[in-house]
Amino acid sequence: MPHRFKAILFDLDGTVIDSAGDLQATMNVILAQENRRPVSLDEMKGCTGDGLQAMLDKAMRLTGTPADATAIAQFMPRFLSVYEGVVAKPECIYPDMLNFIRSEHSVGTKLAIVTNKHEAAAKRILQQLELANYFDLILGGDSLAERKPHPLPILHTLRHLAVAQDDAVMIGDSPNDLLAAHGAGIPSIILRYGYQLDWPVDLQPSAFANHVQECRVALQLI
């Protein structure tokens, strides 16, 4: 059964792909260089979602003395340099997500990635996974003056796609995705398999979904 939406906006990490392992491995290289302990996979998941600067800041706080803004700025290019050498593997795509993206693309739904990951990293990973060509726009956390939870990335994406707010939906896994969607005036579906372990009780999306099949159903109901 078809849904009413002309455009679907996706978060990337924790929604389309599970990148926590690759991020953890990269972060632990940087931490080792700084004589700090490694972060666990669950700790890494808790560090993601707010962009690279915040991710590094959280990892430093977890593993010792917090790093100041100057140090974090120096860590960022080092992290990106290590991360650039990581090749994403097809199995990092969440189950049934590839079929979902392909089916929506085949019927003419406009698709976009709206992530807080650096744009170049997002594009590289999507190209490695042979997903990039399905998306009309890939927008990163460094693409604009603001990132999620600010609504600007979603509003920019809607203008680029020439789609009205009533005709678009955001699919993500974090409060940032919901808040950005709400601020932009579009509904949101939150996938519960992502990196947000404890969902804030005061934040309610248009629908929750435990897996992609439930997401398909939610699109028909909201």
Side-chain angles (χ1 to χ4, degrees), residues 29-154:
V29 171
I30 305 303
L31 292 171
Q33 291 171 352
E34 297 300 311
N35 296 312
R36 291 172 180 253
R37 71 164 179 87
V39 291
S40 69
L41 186 61
D42 284 342
E43 286 176 326
M44 191 68 247
K45 290 178 180 180
C47 291
T48 64
D50 295 313
L52 178 56
Q53 183 175 350
M55 185 169 69
L56 285 161
D57 179 64
K58 291 175 184 177
M60 295 300 159
R61 291 177 185 275
L62 281 170
T63 59
T65 305
D68 61 26
T70 300
I72 295 295
Q74 293 172 345
F75 294 147
M76 289 175 68
R78 286 165 52 188
F79 182 96
L80 290 170
S81 177
V82 175
Y83 194 46
E84 189 174 356
V86 175
V87 178
K89 299 177 177 62
E91 52 264 34
C92 78
I93 305 172
Y94 281 109
D96 203 32
M97 181 57 74
L98 178 56
N99 289 335
F100 178 45
I101 289 170
R102 282 174 171 168
S103 64
E104 291 297 330
H105 183 267
S106 70
V107 297
T109 307
K110 295 183 178 181
L111 306 178
I113 292 289
V114 182
T115 176
N116 280 347
K117 183 190 287 292
H118 269 49
E119 180 180 318
K123 287 181 174 178
R124 172 180 58 81
I125 290 168
L126 288 166
Q127 288 167 354
Q128 288 173 346
L129 297 172
E130 299 183 356
L131 291 176
N133 290 339
Y134 291 108
F135 296 99
D136 299 279
L137 180 66
I138 299 170
L139 200 68
D142 59 333
S143 301
L144 303 171
E146 302 286 353
R147 67 184 65 200
K148 299 176 300 184
H150 198 282
L152 177 63
I154 290 181

Side-chain angles (χ1 to χ4, degrees), residues 156-219:
H156 174 89
T157 300
L158 297 182
R159 287 193 295 269
H160 179 88
L161 300 178
V163 172
Q165 290 156 296
D166 290 343
D167 297 325
V169 60
M170 177 77 200
I171 298 177
D173 72 305
S174 78
N176 282 345
D177 301 313
L178 184 155
L179 291 169
H182 181 77
I186 70 171
S188 60
I189 299 172
I190 296 299
L191 290 163
R192 298 305 299 267
Y193 59 60
Y195 300 154
Q196 185 71 31
L197 299 179
D198 298 310
W199 189 265
V201 295
D202 58 332
L203 295 179
Q204 294 299 310
S206 307
F208 283 112
N210 292 310
H211 48 75
V212 175
Q213 186 56 42
E214 284 187 6
C215 188
R216 288 189 173 99
V217 175
L219 285 170

